[in-house]
Amino acid sequence: MDVSMKRRTLLKVIVLGDSGVGKTSLMNQYVYEKFIRHYKATIGADFVTKELHIDDKVIWDTAGQERFQSLGAAFYRGADCCVLVYDVNVLRSFETLQNWHEEFLKQVDPADTEAFPFILIGNKIDIDGGNSRAVSKKRAQEWCAAKGNIPYFETSAKEDYNVDEAFLCVAKTGLTHE
Ligand code: GDP
Ligand code: MG
C-alpha cells in the first residue's frame, strides 16, 4: 500500500510487557512529556484498556491486567505495530518477552506474522547509573536479531531519554506495514 495513503489513517499501536516495566510511564513521557513520579493506579475494575490518541497514532496500553490471555481479542485486533517493553534491571521481564511475542503473534492474522512490525524497548536505564542492569544491550540486540531484526531502543521514561526516538520509529514501522 502507498505510504502516503496510509498516513491519513490512524495507526493502532499496542504496548505489551510485564507489569511495572514502565509502559504507562513511557506513554506519558511521550504524550505529555512528563514523568509521573508517584505511581498511582487509576484504573477501575471495568476499565480494560487505556486508549491514547496522539498525532497519527492510537496507542493501547494495558491497564494492569498484564497476564496472558487476559487482554482479549479487541485489544489486539487491527494492530499496526506492537511495542514490547522490558526493564533492563529485571531479568524476568526480559525472559517474559518471548511469551508476549508469541501471545501477540497468536492473536494477529497468521498471514501477517512473518513481517509484523515489533519494536523492543529496554526501559529504566537510569537506575543506579546502569550498575543494576540485569540484561546487557548485546543480549537484547541478539534477541531482536533472532526475531527478524526488531528495532531496539534503550530508554528512561524518568529522564526522558530516547523516548521520542522510540515512538518515532513506531510511527515509521507501523506505516510501512501493509
Ligand atoms: P507499567 O506497569 O508497565 O505501566 O509501569 P509504570 O509505567 O506504571 O511504571 C512502574 C514504576 O516504574 C513506576 O513507579 C514508575 O514511576 C517507574 N518507572 C517507569 N519508568 C521508569 C524509568 O525509566 N526509570 C525509573 N527509575 N523508574 C521508572
Ligand atoms: Mg501501566
Side-chain angles (χ1 to χ4, degrees):
M1 186 192 286
D2 179 42
V3 168
S4 62
M5 283 176 67
K6 182 128 192 215
R7 184 164 295 147
R8 286 186 219 113
T9 68
L10 283 171
L11 288 181
K12 178 172 174 178
V13 179
I14 73 167
V15 184
L16 293 176
D18 283 2
S19 180
V21 297
K23 300 181 297 298
T24 303
S25 299
L26 283 164
M27 289 172 56
N28 287 339
Q29 184 59 267
Y30 173 63
V31 176
Y32 307 113
E33 295 184 304
K34 70 169 193 243
F35 178 73
I36 315 287
R37 217 165 275 278
H38 302 289
Y39 177 67
K40 288 194 191 87
T42 51
I43 316 303
D46 57 346
F47 200 107
V48 181
T49 58
K50 273 194 283 184
E51 208 185 300
L52 276 178
H53 291 244
I54 169 84
D55 300 334
D56 55 354
K57 300 182 248 340
V58 185
I59 307 178
W60 288 48
D61 186 14
T62 56
Q65 73 285 44
E66 288 98 335
R67 286 172 293 114
F68 303 111
Q69 285 146 13
S70 67
L71 290 167
F75 185 79
Y76 296 96
R77 192 175 301 126
D80 295 297
C81 182
C82 176
V83 180
L84 298 168
V85 185
Y86 78 102
D87 177 343
V88 299
N89 308 285
V90 179
L91 179 59
R92 177 83 195 132
S93 73
F94 178 76
E95 291 170 343
T96 329
L97 289 174
Q98 184 66 29
N99 305 78
W100 284 117
H101 188 259
E102 277 168 23
E103 176 70 12
F104 181 84
L105 289 178
K106 246 198 292 181
Q107 300 280 349
V108 299
D109 184 342
D112 246 5
T113 55
E114 279 290 300
F116 194 89
F118 286 93
I119 283 178
L120 179 63
I121 294 180
N123 189 40
K124 305 200 192 183
I125 61 163
D126 60 283
I127 289 184
D128 204 12
N131 288 319
S132 61
R133 254 187 114 109
V135 181
S136 69
K137 190 172 192 170
K138 184 162 174 280
R139 186 169 173 195
Q141 285 168 333
E142 280 166 3
W143 190 83
C144 287
K147 292 286 181 274
N149 287 323
I150 295 177
Y152 178 56
F153 293 86
E154 299 205 326
T155 61
S156 166
K158 183 179 182 181
E159 296 186 350
D160 194 13
Y161 174 78
N162 228 13
V163 178
D164 285 357
E165 287 78 357
F167 278 92
L168 265 176
C169 183
V170 166
K172 271 191 244 153
T173 314
L175 282 167
T176 53
H177 171 63
E178 301 190 7

